[in-house]
Amino acid sequence: MYNLEISKDNLRILKINHNGKEKYIGSYYNHKRDIDKFIKEIENINDNSVIVTYGVMDGEHLLELCKEEYKNIKVIVFEKEERLLQNIKNDKYYSKILENKNIKIFKFDEEVIEKVFSMQFSLGNVYNLKIINSPLLLDY
């Protein structure tokens, strides 16, 4: 179970119930720092690279990737939580993500992953693949 809340630095943040305890995915007081850590992971990629990551989480890291300086970065996100997928699709706050042709969000499912990889990658760009493990998820 989870809820979306607003962090002290006015960003959306995910609060989950993990092993009977409520916990924020990221810093409630400085969530921008969490987003910056994620962005640092992709600092040295080129325009032919494709980033693959797991989890839409609160969507803030994806909104950051919608900024002009990241306009050529291609991102594939897999999410298994249907409610989070629907939240991204139905909340106008996330419209920039949905409008960005370089960010693709898919349901985390083996068949879907297989199809996505076969359609999105050729021998030429598979060497430019970068898998990002979000620092926010490393606690689990």
Side-chain angles (χ1 to χ4, degrees):
M1 186 61 123
Y2 63 87
N3 291 311
L4 276 171
E5 295 186 5
I6 303 297
S7 66
K8 289 289 185 182
D9 55 351
N10 208 31
L11 296 170
R12 292 191 180 188
I13 189 166
L14 203 59
K15 183 177 185 181
I16 64 166
N17 187 320
H18 182 69
N19 293 332
K21 296 180 182 177
E22 289 188 331
K23 183 173 184 174
Y24 289 100
I25 304 295
S27 170
Y28 176 74
Y29 295 97
N30 190 354
H31 196 38
K32 175 72 170 121
R33 181 181 58 215
D34 301 324
I35 307 310
D36 292 344
K37 283 182 190 176
F38 178 84
I39 296 301
K40 187 165 178 56
E41 289 285 322
I42 61 171
E43 265 182 353
N44 298 317
I45 66 167
N46 62 48
D47 288 349
N48 295 320
S49 295
V50 178
I51 296 170
V52 177
T53 190
Y54 173 76
V56 296
M57 294 179 293
D58 49 49
E60 294 289 354
H61 64 302
L62 299 176
L63 285 169
E64 186 72 20
L65 291 173
C66 291
K67 292 183 176 177
E68 184 67 22
E69 61 261 40
Y70 308 113
K71 69 179 180 181
N72 293 322
I73 295 176
K74 295 169 190 71
V75 181
I76 296 174
V77 182
F78 292 103
E79 174 59 61
K80 73 176 187 176
E81 185 63 44
E82 184 65 36
R83 197 169 129 216
L84 283 173
L85 288 171
Q86 291 306 314
N87 189 52
I88 294 288
K89 290 178 183 175
N90 297 330
D91 191 332
K92 290 181 190 223
Y93 181 79
Y94 300 110
S95 62
K96 288 182 181 178
I97 296 170
L98 299 175
E99 293 166 2
N100 189 316
K101 65 180 186 220
N102 288 332
I103 298 177
K104 309 258 192 258
I105 302 173
F106 298 96
K107 178 124 175 84
F108 185 85
D109 174 279
E110 279 187 44
E111 289 179 28
V112 172
I113 292 171
E114 188 176 315
K115 287 178 186 175
V116 168
F117 274 77
S118 66
M119 291 171 54
Q120 296 289 325
F121 299 105
S122 65
L123 194 53
N125 70 359
V126 75
Y127 297 108
N128 288 315
L129 174 67
K130 179 157 177 126
I131 298 174
I132 303 289
N133 289 318
S134 172
L136 301 177
L137 294 176
L138 294 179
D139 291 338
Y140 299 99

